[in-house]
């Protein structure tokens, strides 16, 4: 195995060894969301014609799980390595900053997609949304997981302790995820908050992903693709630059 493949394997093995916590727990959380919101709002909220609320909710929960767990994977790995002091052993290797990026972001994509697949499989008993455009589903799932994996890499490089990491996740990632249209269509919001939602890149990930199931969305999937693609390139460039200069890992 080459260097990046070895690091990639190590990162995948790291979360897979505790799969009940890293994969199973998020699936259970998504089930609880679906049971509570689906039970309360099914029959009372109609988002798209001929589409029940539970079916509408399912893709949003899947994508939310993908994004949050992709971010958690790369960020928690770096912070743990910093605190435990074993990051120095990785720095002794001749791996380039590109190899670090591919390994960390790649493993984050694997974890995010694994959790998303688990949520989809388990919640299939509650609702069975159609698969109108499977390619759109795969594209947005992969790009969303890669974007949050790269963002988690930036957060992990910046944070020096778990408190900082928790603050980044609780005050940035979680609010942006919950306010991205997971539980509602932005067309149900007042005009001002619709405009605010359009500034949230997470909204375009959720909306484009949902388009792959129903063939309808709040904005054009091509607009979502451009926004998500641009964000992915920008965040990846920042992460690569920070790795190249050794930000907060070389003193």
């Amino acid at each position: 195995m080459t260097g990046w493949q070895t690091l990639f394997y190590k990162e995948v093995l790291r979360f897979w060894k505790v799969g009940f916590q890293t994969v199973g727990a998020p699936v259970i959380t998504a089930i609880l969301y679906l049971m509570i919101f689906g039970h309360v709002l099914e029959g009372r909220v109609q988002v798209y014609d001929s589409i029940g609320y539970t079916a509408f909710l399912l893709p949003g929960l899947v994508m939310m799980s993908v994004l949050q767990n992709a971010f958690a994977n790369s960020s928690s790995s770096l912070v743990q390595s910093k605190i435990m002091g074993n990051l120095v052993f990785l720095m002794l290797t001749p791996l380039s900053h590109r190899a670090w990026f591919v390994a960390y972001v790649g493993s984050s994509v694997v974890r995010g997609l694994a959790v998303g697949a688990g949520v989809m499989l388990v919640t299939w008993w509650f609702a069975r949304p159609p698969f109108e455009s499977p390619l759109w589903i795969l594209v947005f799932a992969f790009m969303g997981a890669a974007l949050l994996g790269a963002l988690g890499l930036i957060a992990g490089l910046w944070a020096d302790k778990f408190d900082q990491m928790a603050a980044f996740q609780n005050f940035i990632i979680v609010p942006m995820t919950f306010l991205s249209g997971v539980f509602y269509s932005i067309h149900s919001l007042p005009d001002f908050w619709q405009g605010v939602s359009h500034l949230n890149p997470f909204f375009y990930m959720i909306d484009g992903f949902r388009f792959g199931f129903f063939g309808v969305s709040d904005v054009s999937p091509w607009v979502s693709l451009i926004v998500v693609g641009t964000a992915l390139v920008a965040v990846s460039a920042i992460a690569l630059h920070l790795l190249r200069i050794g930000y907060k890992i070389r003193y």
Side-chain angles (χ1 to χ4, degrees), residues 24-182:
V27 172
I28 295 174
T29 301
I31 293 174
L32 293 176
Y33 278 127
L34 185 65
M35 292 177 64
I36 295 171
F37 284 92
H39 174 72
V40 173
L41 298 178
E42 181 66 34
R44 301 183 182 182
V45 176
Q46 187 73 30
V47 183
Y48 300 137
D49 294 337
S50 71
I51 298 175
Y53 179 76
T54 302
F56 167 84
L57 180 60
L58 180 55
L61 289 177
V62 172
M63 194 59 170
M64 182 179 73
S65 301
V66 170
L67 300 179
Q68 291 183 347
N69 284 275
F71 174 85
N73 192 73
S74 54
S75 60
S76 63
S77 179
L78 274 175
V79 172
Q80 286 176 1
S81 296
K82 281 184 176 182
I83 294 175
M84 297 177 66
N86 57 31
L87 190 63
V88 64
F89 299 110
L90 185 57
M91 295 174 62
L92 291 173
T93 65
L95 291 175
S96 68
H97 61 283
R98 298 182 187 87
W100 282 47
F101 178 84
V102 172
Y104 278 104
V105 175
S107 62
S108 297
V109 170
V110 172
R111 177 174 168 180
L113 295 182
V115 173
V119 173
M120 176 62 70
L121 181 63
V122 175
T123 55
W124 193 252
W125 299 99
F126 297 90
R128 299 187 178 184
F131 290 81
E132 294 290 341
S133 303
L135 183 60
W136 284 109
I137 296 174
L138 295 175
V139 167
F140 278 102
F142 178 83
M143 291 179 64
L147 174 56
L148 268 292
L151 188 60
L153 198 56
I154 295 173
L157 290 170
W158 166 78
D160 296 318
K161 51 187 178 180
F162 286 114
D163 290 348
Q164 293 176 326
M165 192 68 263
F168 194 100
Q169 187 159 8
N170 292 333
F171 291 101
I172 298 178
I173 301 301
V174 173
M176 291 182 70
T177 304
F178 274 77
L179 298 177
S180 61
V182 172

Side-chain angles (χ1 to χ4, degrees), residues 175-177 179-180 195-204 227:
M176 291 182 70
T177 304
L179 298 177
S180 61
V196 172
S197 297
H198 282 93
L199 300 177
N200 182 2
F202 286 45
F203 158 71
Y204 297 95
V227 172

